[in-house]
Amino acid sequence: MRCAVYCRLSKEDEDRHAESESIQNQKSLLVRYAVERGWDIYKIYSDEDYSGVDRDRPEFCAMLSDARDKKFDIVLCKTQSRFTRDMELLETYVHRQFPLWGIRFVTAVDHIDTDIKGGKKFRQINGLVNEWYLEDLSDNIRAVFDHKRRNGQYIGGFPVYGYQKDPERKNHLIVDAYAAEIVREIFSLYLAGLGKQKIAERLNGRHVLNPTQYKQSKGSTYVNAHAVGDRGLWNRTTIGRILKNEMYLGTMVQGRRKKISYKSKQLIDVPPEDWFRVEGTHEAVIDRHTFDTAGQLMRTRTRTDGTGETHILSGRVRCLDCGGILCKTSRNYENRRRSYLRCKLYTVGKTPRLCTGHSIRLDALTGLAEEKIRAYLDRYYTIGDISRFADTDPRETRRAALERELLWLNGQLRRRAAALQTLYLDRASGLLEEAQFVELLDAFQAEKQSLRERLDAAEAERAALGGEAPSGGVTVERITRLLEAAPASRALVSLLIDTIEVGEKRPTGQRDIHIRWLF
């Protein structure tokens, strides 16, 4: 009789090293068991580091396929749990499919043999015990992980872009200097008025690797299942995730997703209120004020009409009577197209209306807001006071980032050069075959060329930045221009104004307009 031997290294066993050795013991035990009974061994199937409920074990699936093709007569395992700990799989194959395919199921240690009548109930009870064991083990492991999350210990495999695992302290994160500088630049550009897609295009134009490609360039095995064929490019979704990630504040945020059950690999989203948040667990990359301002900009940055244009007061103008948002509308007036704001709860053609229109010309309200801002700044702040709101000038920030990037790129090129020298020596000494040498050489040359292109682009940008940047940040510069009657920016409005409340126009033509300041 032809016998298929199946062995499994249990993912849920506590002593991984002992189990790794026992995989060989399983094979020796089962081969001897088969030989003693005069069975011919068709093939030994072995899955290492797989759970007993995993249905996608490669060798397990191959064995089932061969069983379906009737390439052997017996499936031999050490115990029933080595075959599966999933009760449904046990019923599907041992009790239904194997008998149809003419396959006999035998275990060497717990003495299961489907040729012996009356053993089905024992196998089912044994299967339930195995599944209960795995369920309890899963609950215990989850409890340990949750305990670590509550204590602010990082238990993930791949840290968020901008951080890396601390080689000295397990479950602790440290700043990745190069990636952290890119994160700071993203926040700076966003507060300066650039949209997420524009920021992505700027990074792509400089050949900055996106988070997935950057991690892989440092030797990580990280794979983003949602980034197939992205060629290492940034996109607005990635920029948005970075702008919303509290990890950059030094707050450990974990438990955003969880498995449906221990028997499924499918993940579901967890409500934000149930996430594990612990503050001060690692060094912050972004300060709280910058993070909150960016978040406020994202919440209010909306497209209110078909043009895709967003006015500087978008999301901040509310109805004084009902509290609803005033949305942008446009209409032609004397051969000119004018923009207005109108209460969202006022719907033309529907009765009863939930509110009145509160219609106001957008340019008039914007002009009024600029006047109020100028008066507010003149009254309460000097330029020296304003400087405390400003971030470092983007040119200075970018120049520092470029210097770090150039150091990193030159170091990588030196390492590639040393690796190429070692490669040639290995080939000359006969340690590498010709085909292996050519394959590795091509890979090293491609990496070197990519690094060289990035280095050239960084050096060109550094040269384009020129000399020292003027003192003062971009926000100071914009506020200064505003005091000189320059147009207001959306970033400045976000910095100073919480909401603008607009009342309905009275018969006298007057209306109440209230500005609520953030400071």
Side-chain angles (χ1 to χ4, degrees):
M1 300 185 73
R2 294 166 302 170
C3 171
V5 172
Y6 179 72
C7 308
R8 179 175 61 82
L9 169 64
S10 180
K11 198 173 185 178
E12 59 268 9
D13 285 339
E14 294 181 3
D15 191 341
R16 305 288 286 275
H17 181 67
E19 182 63 24
S20 180
E21 294 178 342
S22 75
I23 198 77
Q24 302 301 326
N25 293 337
Q26 285 184 52
K27 293 177 182 178
S28 299
L29 171 68
L30 297 175
V31 168
R32 185 170 63 252
Y33 188 93
V35 170
E36 288 173 353
R37 284 154 181 78
W39 299 340
D40 295 328
I41 297 177
Y42 169 75
K43 185 178 179 181
I44 298 178
Y45 302 85
S46 178
D47 283 313
E48 298 195 29
D49 203 19
Y50 282 92
S51 168
V53 293
D54 193 337
R55 301 184 177 206
D56 297 325
R57 289 170 270 161
E59 289 288 279
F60 180 76
C61 293
M63 179 189 66
L64 294 178
S65 177
D66 290 343
R68 188 180 296 108
D69 295 338
K70 302 180 181 179
K71 294 182 179 180
F72 47 78
D73 309 296
I74 299 171
V75 171
L76 176 63
C77 301
K78 180 181 177 182
T79 62
Q80 180 176 300
S81 63
R82 295 299 93 190
F83 179 77
T84 184
R85 289 185 183 272
D86 188 331
M87 189 64 185
E88 184 179 349
L89 279 181
L90 176 72
E91 287 294 319
T92 298
Y93 291 103
V94 175
H95 293 154
R96 286 205 298 272
Q97 298 297 81
F98 283 0
L100 290 175
W101 299 337
I103 302 294
R104 177 182 172 189
F105 180 73
V106 179
T107 64
V109 174
D110 45 11
H111 309 297
I112 289 175
D113 188 342
T114 52
D115 266 8
I116 300 175
K117 303 298 182 182
K120 183 177 180 180
K121 290 181 180 179
F122 171 75
R123 293 191 295 271
Q124 290 174 327
I125 293 172
N126 195 14
L128 284 172
V129 172
N130 287 329
E131 187 162 328
W132 291 337
Y133 163 79
L134 199 60
E135 186 175 1
D136 290 342
L137 183 64
S138 175
D139 290 341
N140 292 335
I141 293 174
R142 183 178 289 112
V144 171
F145 283 167
D146 286 352
H147 176 73
K148 289 185 175 182
R149 291 186 182 107
R150 290 189 186 94
N151 289 334
Q153 299 181 57
Y154 183 74
I155 63 172
F158 305 97
V160 64
Y161 181 74
Y163 291 96
Q164 59 188 3
K165 288 186 176 180
D166 189 343
E168 304 297 328
R169 291 173 55 193
K170 189 178 181 181
N171 305 121
H172 181 249
L173 298 180
I174 57 176
V175 171
D176 180 328
Y178 170 76
E181 199 57 56
I182 298 298
V183 171
R184 295 188 188 100
E185 181 185 1
I186 288 171
F187 275 87
S188 177
L189 292 173
Y190 191 73
L191 294 187
L194 268 70
K196 288 177 281 189
Q197 186 58 40
K198 289 293 184 183
I199 295 173
E201 291 172 0
R202 179 170 292 196
L203 294 175
N204 290 331
R206 297 207 316 267
H207 306 289
V208 177
L209 295 179
N210 71 359
T212 297
Q213 296 291 332
Y214 177 71
K215 292 174 185 177
Q216 292 174 353
S217 74
K218 298 186 70 177
S220 172
T221 59
Y222 176 77
V223 176
N224 185 350
H226 302 290
V228 179
D230 68 351
R231 296 177 297 161
L233 299 179
W234 291 80
N235 56 55
R236 66 189 315 277
T237 301
T238 303
I239 299 296
R241 287 197 188 103
I242 287 175
L243 292 171
K244 292 186 288 188
N245 198 329
E246 295 176 72
M247 292 283 283
Y248 298 119
L249 293 172
T251 300
M252 185 66 69
V253 182
Q254 298 183 98
R256 301 174 191 238
R257 306 188 77 195
K258 68 177 182 180
K259 286 185 177 181
I260 294 177
S261 76
Y262 68 95
K263 296 173 67 174
S264 172
K265 295 181 180 180
Q266 185 176 350
L267 297 173
I268 58 173
D269 292 329
V270 175
E273 60 269 19
D274 294 332
W275 294 352
F276 293 89
R277 287 185 177 87
V278 182
E279 296 183 0
T281 61
H282 51 276
E283 181 183 349
V285 170
I286 300 298
D287 64 86
R288 169 61 71 175
H289 176 71
T290 299
F291 184 85
D292 289 345
T293 303
Q296 193 173 37
L297 272 174
M298 278 190 288
R299 287 190 295 272
T300 58
R301 180 168 287 180
T302 56
R303 293 186 175 183
T304 55
D305 61 12
T307 68
E309 297 180 355
T310 304
H311 59 86
I312 65 171
L313 303 179
S314 177
R316 299 184 183 279
V317 185
R318 292 187 173 273
C319 175
L320 182 62
D321 297 312
C322 72
I325 292 287
L326 264 64
C327 297
K328 180 181 175 183
T329 62
S330 299
R331 63 174 180 263
N332 293 324
Y333 181 77
E334 295 181 352
N335 297 323
R336 288 187 299 173
R337 192 160 186 80
R338 286 181 175 173
S339 295
Y340 293 81
L341 297 181
R342 189 177 63 188
C343 181
K344 188 175 182 179
L345 297 183
Y346 176 80
T347 305
V348 176
K350 292 186 178 181
T351 55
R353 295 189 175 107
L354 299 179
C355 191
T356 55
H358 292 72
S359 181
I360 185 171
R361 277 178 53 176
L362 177 59
D363 58 349
L365 184 61
T366 302
L368 175 64
E370 289 183 354
E371 290 178 8
K372 295 290 186 182
I373 290 173
R374 284 197 294 273
Y376 184 77
L377 292 174
D378 284 338
R379 180 176 182 182
Y380 292 108
Y381 297 101
T382 65
I383 294 300
D385 294 327
I386 293 168
S387 64
R388 65 192 176 93
F389 296 113
D391 297 324
T392 304
D393 188 279
R395 284 181 293 174
E396 294 178 348
T397 301
R398 184 57 196 154
R399 186 179 290 106
L402 283 171
E403 293 297 338
R404 281 188 285 270
E405 183 176 4
L406 287 167
L407 284 173
W408 182 81
L409 288 169
N410 280 310
Q412 291 295 315
L413 283 169
R414 286 193 297 271
R415 292 189 184 93
R416 296 303 187 281
L420 281 169
Q421 184 178 3
T422 303
L423 188 66
Y424 283 113
L425 291 174
D426 288 346
R427 177 68 186 105
S429 60
L431 296 176
L432 282 176
E433 297 291 338
E434 180 69 24
Q436 292 176 310
F437 171 75
V438 171
E439 183 179 355
L440 290 172
L441 180 63
D442 288 344
F444 274 121
Q445 294 287 16
E447 289 178 3
K448 188 177 179 181
Q449 178 63 26
S450 176
L451 289 168
R452 172 54 62 184
E453 290 175 358
R454 291 172 61 188
L455 182 68
D456 291 343
E459 288 178 338
E461 185 180 358
R462 182 177 63 175
L465 285 174
E468 293 296 320
S471 60
V474 65
T475 305
V476 172
E477 181 182 348
R478 290 189 175 191
I479 294 175
T480 303
R481 290 207 317 267
L482 179 60
L483 292 174
E484 296 170 353
S489 69
R490 182 165 170 75
L492 179 60
V493 170
S494 300
L495 193 68
L496 297 175
I497 294 178
D498 179 23
T499 55
I500 300 176
E501 297 175 330
V502 176
E504 183 60 273
K505 201 173 194 179
R506 292 191 286 269
T508 58
Q510 297 179 325
R511 70 168 82 228
D512 294 324
I513 298 177
H514 301 156
I515 296 180
R516 298 188 182 275
W517 304 96
L518 287 169
F519 300 99

